[in-house]
Each structure stands twice: as structure tokens, then as C-alpha cells.
PDB file of all heavy atoms in Angstrom:
ATOM      1  N   LEU A   1      23.253  13.209   2.166  1.00 86.00           N
ATOM      2  CA  LEU A   1      22.892  12.083   3.001  1.00 86.00           C
ATOM      3  C   LEU A   1      21.832  12.456   4.045  1.00 86.00           C
ATOM      4  O   LEU A   1      21.307  11.566   4.726  1.00 86.00           O
ATOM      5  CB  LEU A   1      24.149  11.515   3.700  1.00 86.00           C
ATOM      6  CG  LEU A   1      25.207  10.964   2.763  1.00 86.00           C
ATOM      7  CD1 LEU A   1      26.349  10.373   3.595  1.00 86.00           C
ATOM      8  CD2 LEU A   1      24.618   9.889   1.845  1.00 86.00           C
ATOM      9  N   VAL A   2      21.547  13.722   4.239  1.00 85.00           N
ATOM     10  CA  VAL A   2      20.554  14.122   5.247  1.00 85.00           C
ATOM     11  C   VAL A   2      19.148  13.691   4.776  1.00 85.00           C
ATOM     12  O   VAL A   2      18.850  13.748   3.584  1.00 85.00           O
ATOM     13  CB  VAL A   2      20.566  15.632   5.472  1.00 85.00           C
ATOM     14  CG1 VAL A   2      21.852  16.068   6.135  1.00 85.00           C
ATOM     15  CG2 VAL A   2      20.337  16.407   4.163  1.00 85.00           C
ATOM     16  N   PRO A   3      18.284  13.214   5.698  1.00 83.00           N
ATOM     17  CA  PRO A   3      16.957  12.750   5.298  1.00 83.00           C
ATOM     18  C   PRO A   3      16.031  13.906   5.011  1.00 83.00           C
ATOM     19  O   PRO A   3      15.231  14.340   5.832  1.00 83.00           O
ATOM     20  CB  PRO A   3      16.496  11.979   6.513  1.00 83.00           C
ATOM     21  CG  PRO A   3      17.266  12.549   7.677  1.00 83.00           C
ATOM     22  CD  PRO A   3      18.598  12.996   7.130  1.00 83.00           C
ATOM     23  N   ASP A   4      16.087  14.455   3.822  1.00 86.00           N
ATOM     24  CA  ASP A   4      15.337  15.615   3.384  1.00 86.00           C
ATOM     25  C   ASP A   4      13.995  15.156   2.745  1.00 86.00           C
ATOM     26  O   ASP A   4      14.047  14.518   1.665  1.00 86.00           O
ATOM     27  CB  ASP A   4      16.133  16.435   2.404  1.00 86.00           C
ATOM     28  CG  ASP A   4      15.452  17.766   2.039  1.00 86.00           C
ATOM     29  OD1 ASP A   4      14.271  17.906   2.401  1.00 86.00           O
ATOM     30  OD2 ASP A   4      16.095  18.613   1.408  1.00 86.00           O
ATOM     31  N   PRO A   5      12.866  15.455   3.351  1.00 85.00           N
ATOM     32  CA  PRO A   5      11.571  14.994   2.785  1.00 85.00           C
ATOM     33  C   PRO A   5      11.315  15.521   1.407  1.00 85.00           C
ATOM     34  O   PRO A   5      10.554  14.924   0.657  1.00 85.00           O
ATOM     35  CB  PRO A   5      10.554  15.543   3.784  1.00 85.00           C
ATOM     36  CG  PRO A   5      11.320  15.722   5.064  1.00 85.00           C
ATOM     37  CD  PRO A   5      12.700  16.111   4.663  1.00 85.00           C
ATOM     38  N   GLU A   6      11.966  16.635   1.007  1.00 89.00           N
ATOM     39  CA  GLU A   6      11.748  17.227  -0.329  1.00 89.00           C
ATOM     40  C   GLU A   6      12.206  16.245  -1.379  1.00 89.00           C
ATOM     41  O   GLU A   6      11.650  16.194  -2.493  1.00 89.00           O
ATOM     42  CB  GLU A   6      12.553  18.505  -0.480  1.00 89.00           C
ATOM     43  CG  GLU A   6      12.364  19.190  -1.807  1.00 89.00           C
ATOM     44  CD  GLU A   6      13.204  20.430  -1.975  1.00 89.00           C
ATOM     45  OE1 GLU A   6      13.982  20.718  -1.056  1.00 89.00           O
ATOM     46  OE2 GLU A   6      13.067  21.088  -3.037  1.00 89.00           O
ATOM     47  N   PHE A   7      13.179  15.408  -1.081  1.00 91.00           N
ATOM     48  CA  PHE A   7      13.741  14.467  -2.049  1.00 91.00           C
ATOM     49  C   PHE A   7      13.124  13.076  -1.982  1.00 91.00           C
ATOM     50  O   PHE A   7      13.603  12.196  -2.673  1.00 91.00           O
ATOM     51  CB  PHE A   7      15.272  14.351  -1.870  1.00 91.00           C
ATOM     52  CG  PHE A   7      16.013  15.509  -2.433  1.00 91.00           C
ATOM     53  CD1 PHE A   7      16.397  16.563  -1.580  1.00 91.00           C
ATOM     54  CD2 PHE A   7      16.428  15.556  -3.729  1.00 91.00           C
ATOM     55  CE1 PHE A   7      17.103  17.649  -2.087  1.00 91.00           C
ATOM     56  CE2 PHE A   7      17.129  16.595  -4.259  1.00 91.00           C
ATOM     57  CZ  PHE A   7      17.497  17.663  -3.394  1.00 91.00           C
ATOM     58  N   ILE A   8      12.130  12.891  -1.171  1.00 90.00           N
ATOM     59  CA  ILE A   8      11.617  11.524  -0.961  1.00 90.00           C
ATOM     60  C   ILE A   8      11.137  10.923  -2.318  1.00 90.00           C
ATOM     61  O   ILE A   8      10.452  11.564  -3.062  1.00 90.00           O
ATOM     62  CB  ILE A   8      10.481  11.490   0.058  1.00 90.00           C
ATOM     63  CG1 ILE A   8      10.130  10.046   0.414  1.00 90.00           C
ATOM     64  CG2 ILE A   8       9.256  12.237  -0.438  1.00 90.00           C
ATOM     65  CD1 ILE A   8       9.205   9.904   1.615  1.00 90.00           C
ATOM     66  N   TYR A   9      11.569   9.712  -2.538  1.00 92.00           N
ATOM     67  CA  TYR A   9      11.164   8.961  -3.726  1.00 92.00           C
ATOM     68  C   TYR A   9      10.340   7.770  -3.234  1.00 92.00           C
ATOM     69  O   TYR A   9      10.807   6.950  -2.425  1.00 92.00           O
ATOM     70  CB  TYR A   9      12.375   8.469  -4.515  1.00 92.00           C
ATOM     71  CG  TYR A   9      12.055   7.396  -5.544  1.00 92.00           C
ATOM     72  CD1 TYR A   9      11.428   7.742  -6.702  1.00 92.00           C
ATOM     73  CD2 TYR A   9      12.340   6.059  -5.262  1.00 92.00           C
ATOM     74  CE1 TYR A   9      11.088   6.745  -7.652  1.00 92.00           C
ATOM     75  CE2 TYR A   9      12.025   5.042  -6.206  1.00 92.00           C
ATOM     76  CZ  TYR A   9      11.383   5.441  -7.386  1.00 92.00           C
ATOM     77  OH  TYR A   9      11.059   4.463  -8.300  1.00 92.00           O
ATOM     78  N   LEU A  10       9.124   7.674  -3.676  1.00 92.00           N
ATOM     79  CA  LEU A  10       8.216   6.638  -3.207  1.00 92.00           C
ATOM     80  C   LEU A  10       8.275   5.448  -4.146  1.00 92.00           C
ATOM     81  O   LEU A  10       7.574   5.397  -5.159  1.00 92.00           O
ATOM     82  CB  LEU A  10       6.798   7.160  -3.105  1.00 92.00           C
ATOM     83  CG  LEU A  10       6.570   8.278  -2.039  1.00 92.00           C
ATOM     84  CD1 LEU A  10       5.139   8.746  -2.067  1.00 92.00           C
ATOM     85  CD2 LEU A  10       6.978   7.772  -0.664  1.00 92.00           C
ATOM     86  N   SER A  11       9.111   4.487  -3.782  1.00 93.00           N
ATOM     87  CA  SER A  11       9.121   3.228  -4.514  1.00 93.00           C
ATOM     88  C   SER A  11       7.825   2.476  -4.107  1.00 93.00           C
ATOM     89  O   SER A  11       7.041   2.933  -3.327  1.00 93.00           O
ATOM     90  CB  SER A  11      10.339   2.385  -4.084  1.00 93.00           C
ATOM     91  OG  SER A  11      10.192   1.957  -2.739  1.00 93.00           O
ATOM     92  N   ARG A  12       7.647   1.327  -4.729  1.00 93.00           N
ATOM     93  CA  ARG A  12       6.435   0.525  -4.405  1.00 93.00           C
ATOM     94  C   ARG A  12       6.405   0.236  -2.905  1.00 93.00           C
ATOM     95  O   ARG A  12       5.363   0.328  -2.264  1.00 93.00           O
ATOM     96  CB  ARG A  12       6.475  -0.766  -5.225  1.00 93.00           C
ATOM     97  CG  ARG A  12       5.213  -1.610  -5.025  1.00 93.00           C
ATOM     98  CD  ARG A  12       5.170  -2.683  -6.110  1.00 93.00           C
ATOM     99  NE  ARG A  12       4.023  -3.551  -5.872  1.00 93.00           N
ATOM    100  CZ  ARG A  12       4.131  -4.847  -5.516  1.00 93.00           C
ATOM    101  NH1 ARG A  12       5.295  -5.379  -5.366  1.00 93.00           N
ATOM    102  NH2 ARG A  12       3.060  -5.565  -5.385  1.00 93.00           N
ATOM    103  N   SER A  13       7.530  -0.127  -2.360  1.00 92.00           N
ATOM    104  CA  SER A  13       7.609  -0.483  -0.936  1.00 92.00           C
ATOM    105  C   SER A  13       7.376   0.737  -0.031  1.00 92.00           C
ATOM    106  O   SER A  13       6.658   0.672   0.924  1.00 92.00           O
ATOM    107  CB  SER A  13       8.964  -1.110  -0.591  1.00 92.00           C
ATOM    108  OG  SER A  13       9.130  -1.276   0.789  1.00 92.00           O
ATOM    109  N   HIS A  14       8.001   1.866  -0.408  1.00 93.00           N
ATOM    110  CA  HIS A  14       7.875   3.102   0.380  1.00 93.00           C
ATOM    111  C   HIS A  14       6.438   3.630   0.339  1.00 93.00           C
ATOM    112  O   HIS A  14       5.919   4.124   1.367  1.00 93.00           O
ATOM    113  CB  HIS A  14       8.836   4.164  -0.093  1.00 93.00           C
ATOM    114  CG  HIS A  14      10.264   3.883   0.240  1.00 93.00           C
ATOM    115  ND1 HIS A  14      10.990   2.881  -0.320  1.00 93.00           N
ATOM    116  CD2 HIS A  14      11.124   4.506   1.118  1.00 93.00           C
ATOM    117  CE1 HIS A  14      12.204   2.850   0.201  1.00 93.00           C
ATOM    118  NE2 HIS A  14      12.314   3.846   1.058  1.00 93.00           N
ATOM    119  N   LYS A  15       5.804   3.525  -0.825  1.00 93.00           N
ATOM    120  CA  LYS A  15       4.458   4.012  -0.972  1.00 93.00           C
ATOM    121  C   LYS A  15       3.505   3.193  -0.107  1.00 93.00           C
ATOM    122  O   LYS A  15       2.611   3.724   0.550  1.00 93.00           O
ATOM    123  CB  LYS A  15       4.037   3.938  -2.435  1.00 93.00           C
ATOM    124  CG  LYS A  15       2.707   4.592  -2.744  1.00 93.00           C
ATOM    125  CD  LYS A  15       2.381   4.535  -4.227  1.00 93.00           C
ATOM    126  CE  LYS A  15       3.430   5.268  -5.039  1.00 93.00           C
ATOM    127  NZ  LYS A  15       3.086   5.273  -6.511  1.00 93.00           N
ATOM    128  N   LYS A  16       3.721   1.875  -0.085  1.00 92.00           N
ATOM    129  CA  LYS A  16       2.923   0.979   0.726  1.00 92.00           C
ATOM    130  C   LYS A  16       3.084   1.287   2.217  1.00 92.00           C
ATOM    131  O   LYS A  16       2.103   1.398   2.960  1.00 92.00           O
ATOM    132  CB  LYS A  16       3.284  -0.460   0.445  1.00 92.00           C
ATOM    133  CG  LYS A  16       2.535  -1.471   1.267  1.00 92.00           C
ATOM    134  CD  LYS A  16       2.993  -2.892   0.900  1.00 92.00           C
ATOM    135  CE  LYS A  16       2.287  -3.951   1.747  1.00 92.00           C
ATOM    136  NZ  LYS A  16       2.770  -5.342   1.401  1.00 92.00           N
ATOM    137  N   ALA A  17       4.342   1.484   2.614  1.00 92.00           N
ATOM    138  CA  ALA A  17       4.617   1.802   4.044  1.00 92.00           C
ATOM    139  C   ALA A  17       4.008   3.145   4.441  1.00 92.00           C
ATOM    140  O   ALA A  17       3.406   3.257   5.535  1.00 92.00           O
ATOM    141  CB  ALA A  17       6.130   1.809   4.296  1.00 92.00           C
ATOM    142  N   LEU A  18       4.094   4.126   3.573  1.00 90.00           N
ATOM    143  CA  LEU A  18       3.546   5.420   3.885  1.00 90.00           C
ATOM    144  C   LEU A  18       2.011   5.356   4.013  1.00 90.00           C
ATOM    145  O   LEU A  18       1.434   6.004   4.897  1.00 90.00           O
ATOM    146  CB  LEU A  18       3.917   6.427   2.743  1.00 90.00           C
ATOM    147  CG  LEU A  18       3.587   7.901   3.020  1.00 90.00           C
ATOM    148  CD1 LEU A  18       4.331   8.418   4.239  1.00 90.00           C
ATOM    149  CD2 LEU A  18       3.917   8.726   1.797  1.00 90.00           C
ATOM    150  N   THR A  19       1.398   4.565   3.173  1.00 91.00           N
ATOM    151  CA  THR A  19      -0.068   4.378   3.252  1.00 91.00           C
ATOM    152  C   THR A  19      -0.441   3.733   4.584  1.00 91.00           C
ATOM    153  O   THR A  19      -1.373   4.185   5.267  1.00 91.00           O
ATOM    154  CB  THR A  19      -0.560   3.554   2.089  1.00 91.00           C
ATOM    155  OG1 THR A  19      -0.245   4.190   0.865  1.00 91.00           O
ATOM    156  CG2 THR A  19      -2.060   3.352   2.197  1.00 91.00           C
ATOM    157  N   TYR A  20       0.301   2.729   5.005  1.00 91.00           N
ATOM    158  CA  TYR A  20       0.039   2.019   6.238  1.00 91.00           C
ATOM    159  C   TYR A  20       0.232   2.999   7.445  1.00 91.00           C
ATOM    160  O   TYR A  20      -0.594   2.991   8.359  1.00 91.00           O
ATOM    161  CB  TYR A  20       0.956   0.828   6.385  1.00 91.00           C
ATOM    162  CG  TYR A  20       0.518  -0.393   5.643  1.00 91.00           C
ATOM    163  CD1 TYR A  20      -0.378  -0.327   4.589  1.00 91.00           C
ATOM    164  CD2 TYR A  20       1.059  -1.663   5.950  1.00 91.00           C
ATOM    165  CE1 TYR A  20      -0.737  -1.454   3.883  1.00 91.00           C
ATOM    166  CE2 TYR A  20       0.665  -2.793   5.245  1.00 91.00           C
ATOM    167  CZ  TYR A  20      -0.261  -2.675   4.193  1.00 91.00           C
ATOM    168  OH  TYR A  20      -0.602  -3.781   3.511  1.00 91.00           O
ATOM    169  N   LEU A  21       1.325   3.738   7.427  1.00 90.00           N
ATOM    170  CA  LEU A  21       1.564   4.668   8.525  1.00 90.00           C
ATOM    171  C   LEU A  21       0.545   5.721   8.614  1.00 90.00           C
ATOM    172  O   LEU A  21       0.093   6.078   9.723  1.00 90.00           O
ATOM    173  CB  LEU A  21       2.965   5.260   8.328  1.00 90.00           C
ATOM    174  CG  LEU A  21       4.196   4.343   8.484  1.00 90.00           C
ATOM    175  CD1 LEU A  21       5.449   5.036   8.035  1.00 90.00           C
ATOM    176  CD2 LEU A  21       4.347   3.850   9.920  1.00 90.00           C
ATOM    177  N   ASP A  22       0.155   6.273   7.481  1.00 89.00           N
ATOM    178  CA  ASP A  22      -0.880   7.313   7.479  1.00 89.00           C
ATOM    179  C   ASP A  22      -2.184   6.798   8.007  1.00 89.00           C
ATOM    180  O   ASP A  22      -2.858   7.443   8.841  1.00 89.00           O
ATOM    181  CB  ASP A  22      -1.037   7.779   6.010  1.00 89.00           C
ATOM    182  CG  ASP A  22      -1.974   8.986   5.931  1.00 89.00           C
ATOM    183  OD1 ASP A  22      -2.075   9.772   6.881  1.00 89.00           O
ATOM    184  OD2 ASP A  22      -2.647   9.143   4.860  1.00 89.00           O
ATOM    185  N   TYR A  23      -2.528   5.579   7.604  1.00 90.00           N
ATOM    186  CA  TYR A  23      -3.727   4.952   8.115  1.00 90.00           C
ATOM    187  C   TYR A  23      -3.640   4.735   9.609  1.00 90.00           C
ATOM    188  O   TYR A  23      -4.626   5.021  10.364  1.00 90.00           O
ATOM    189  CB  TYR A  23      -3.997   3.643   7.378  1.00 90.00           C
ATOM    190  CG  TYR A  23      -5.160   2.853   7.967  1.00 90.00           C
ATOM    191  CD1 TYR A  23      -6.467   3.133   7.620  1.00 90.00           C
ATOM    192  CD2 TYR A  23      -4.913   1.780   8.866  1.00 90.00           C
ATOM    193  CE1 TYR A  23      -7.531   2.415   8.158  1.00 90.00           C
ATOM    194  CE2 TYR A  23      -5.958   1.042   9.398  1.00 90.00           C
ATOM    195  CZ  TYR A  23      -7.261   1.378   9.047  1.00 90.00           C
ATOM    196  OH  TYR A  23      -8.327   0.669   9.571  1.00 90.00           O
ATOM    197  N   GLY A  24      -2.527   4.243  10.088  1.00 88.00           N
ATOM    198  CA  GLY A  24      -2.370   3.927  11.529  1.00 88.00           C
ATOM    199  C   GLY A  24      -2.532   5.161  12.392  1.00 88.00           C
ATOM    200  O   GLY A  24      -3.138   5.129  13.425  1.00 88.00           O
ATOM    201  N   ILE A  25      -1.913   6.299  11.903  1.00 87.00           N
ATOM    202  CA  ILE A  25      -1.953   7.514  12.693  1.00 87.00           C
ATOM    203  C   ILE A  25      -3.372   8.118  12.618  1.00 87.00           C
ATOM    204  O   ILE A  25      -3.923   8.563  13.634  1.00 87.00           O
ATOM    205  CB  ILE A  25      -0.908   8.540  12.203  1.00 87.00           C
ATOM    206  CG1 ILE A  25       0.480   8.029  12.536  1.00 87.00           C
ATOM    207  CG2 ILE A  25      -1.163   9.921  12.771  1.00 87.00           C
ATOM    208  CD1 ILE A  25       1.585   8.904  12.007  1.00 87.00           C
ATOM    209  N   SER A  26      -3.967   8.102  11.462  1.00 85.00           N
ATOM    210  CA  SER A  26      -5.337   8.661  11.300  1.00 85.00           C
ATOM    211  C   SER A  26      -6.332   7.901  12.137  1.00 85.00           C
ATOM    212  O   SER A  26      -7.272   8.498  12.718  1.00 85.00           O
ATOM    213  CB  SER A  26      -5.735   8.636   9.809  1.00 85.00           C
ATOM    214  OG  SER A  26      -4.886   9.420   9.044  1.00 85.00           O
ATOM    215  N   GLU A  27      -6.167   6.566  12.203  1.00 85.00           N
ATOM    216  CA  GLU A  27      -7.129   5.715  12.967  1.00 85.00           C
ATOM    217  C   GLU A  27      -6.719   5.521  14.400  1.00 85.00           C
ATOM    218  O   GLU A  27      -7.363   4.762  15.123  1.00 85.00           O
ATOM    219  CB  GLU A  27      -7.240   4.371  12.273  1.00 85.00           C
ATOM    220  CG  GLU A  27      -7.819   4.425  10.874  1.00 85.00           C
ATOM    221  CD  GLU A  27      -9.240   4.983  10.865  1.00 85.00           C
ATOM    222  OE1 GLU A  27     -10.035   4.582  11.757  1.00 85.00           O
ATOM    223  OE2 GLU A  27      -9.542   5.816   9.993  1.00 85.00           O
ATOM    224  N   ARG A  28      -5.600   6.157  14.805  1.00 83.00           N
ATOM    225  CA  ARG A  28      -5.119   6.046  16.187  1.00 83.00           C
ATOM    226  C   ARG A  28      -4.894   4.638  16.595  1.00 83.00           C
ATOM    227  O   ARG A  28      -5.295   4.188  17.704  1.00 83.00           O
ATOM    228  CB  ARG A  28      -6.059   6.775  17.145  1.00 83.00           C
ATOM    229  CG  ARG A  28      -6.210   8.237  16.857  1.00 83.00           C
ATOM    230  CD  ARG A  28      -6.811   8.986  18.014  1.00 83.00           C
ATOM    231  NE  ARG A  28      -6.933  10.393  17.752  1.00 83.00           N
ATOM    232  CZ  ARG A  28      -7.203  11.328  18.675  1.00 83.00           C
ATOM    233  NH1 ARG A  28      -7.455  10.948  19.922  1.00 83.00           N
ATOM    234  NH2 ARG A  28      -7.260  12.581  18.373  1.00 83.00           N
ATOM    235  N   ALA A  29      -4.246   3.850  15.720  1.00 80.00           N
ATOM    236  CA  ALA A  29      -3.896   2.462  16.065  1.00 80.00           C
ATOM    237  C   ALA A  29      -2.891   2.499  17.216  1.00 80.00           C
ATOM    238  O   ALA A  29      -2.147   3.466  17.391  1.00 80.00           O
ATOM    239  CB  ALA A  29      -3.316   1.752  14.853  1.00 80.00           C
ATOM    240  N   GLY A  30      -2.834   1.455  17.997  1.00 77.00           N
ATOM    241  CA  GLY A  30      -1.986   1.430  19.162  1.00 77.00           C
ATOM    242  C   GLY A  30      -0.497   1.510  18.800  1.00 77.00           C
ATOM    243  O   GLY A  30       0.095   2.595  18.757  1.00 77.00           O
TER     244      GLY A  30
END
């Protein structure tokens, strides 16, 4: 049950969220 990044499974929704988050951090969005 521990949130281990090694086991992360990128569903369609998770992949989309990860892309958005990565973009937000890279572009220094507020």
C-alpha cells in the first residue's frame, strides 16, 4: 500500500495528469 514510484502504472488519466504537472513545473506556472 505504500506509494512506491517504482510500481507506478500510467493509465490514460495518470499519464495526462503527469504531463500537465511536468509542464506546470517546467514552465513555473503559479
Side-chain angles (χ1 to χ4, degrees):
L1 297 183
V2 293
D4 187 348
E6 181 183 5
F7 283 94
I8 189 170
Y9 166 76
L10 294 179
S11 68
R12 184 167 176 245
S13 172
H14 287 70
K15 189 178 298 183
K16 178 180 177 182
L18 188 62
T19 301
Y20 280 18
L21 292 170
D22 186 29
Y23 173 81
I25 291 177
S26 299
E27 296 298 317
R28 299 197 178 191

